[in-house]
Amino acid sequence: MLQAHPSVLADLVERYESLHAKTGSAAVDPALRQQLDDVTYTLCVITGTRSLEQALASARRRARTVRDVRGGQASTAVPSSSTKASSSHSLTTPSTAMAG
């Protein structure tokens, strides 16, 4: 089974958290709401889950437990409470988002 590269998962979690923070008000731009819906859907699909909570937990777990291929050292790719915004982020295509 193909799995998303941990850096892709980390980017998606970061993007979700950023968009979620921006959509907290009652008057939300429909385009912003659509972006949040899109990243939520992508997280669910890419992690093979059916709920946002499961998708976030799975993505964070995989991003945190990445092993450095060269040294076998565990590294942290994204903290679970990351709220850093990414202004020029775009979703990647499946051919670049998946690792074997």
Side-chain angles (χ1 to χ4, degrees):
M1 180 171 121
L2 291 176
Q3 293 187 350
H5 192 277
S7 66
V8 172
L9 293 169
D11 288 346
L12 285 169
V13 170
E14 183 177 315
R15 181 166 180 163
Y16 168 80
E17 290 174 345
S18 174
L19 290 167
H20 181 70
K22 291 177 184 176
T23 59
S25 66
V28 176
D29 177 23
L32 193 60
R33 172 62 63 191
Q34 184 61 51
Q35 288 177 21
L36 180 62
D37 291 346
D38 290 346
V39 77
T40 299
Y41 174 81
T42 302
L43 273 166
C44 288
V45 169
I46 209 164
T47 59
T49 59
R50 291 183 173 248
S51 76
L52 174 61
E53 293 77 19
Q54 291 173 331
L56 287 171
S58 178
R60 287 175 177 146
R61 184 173 45 253
R62 279 221 51 229
R64 256 195 320 270
T65 58
V66 177
R67 297 274 177 197
D68 182 349
V69 175
R70 289 167 276 166
Q73 300 288 333
S75 63
T76 302
V78 63
S80 61
S81 62
S82 173
T83 57
K84 187 171 54 170
S86 175
S87 61
S88 63
H89 179 76
S90 63
L91 294 178
T92 58
T93 61
S95 63
T96 60
M98 300 295 180

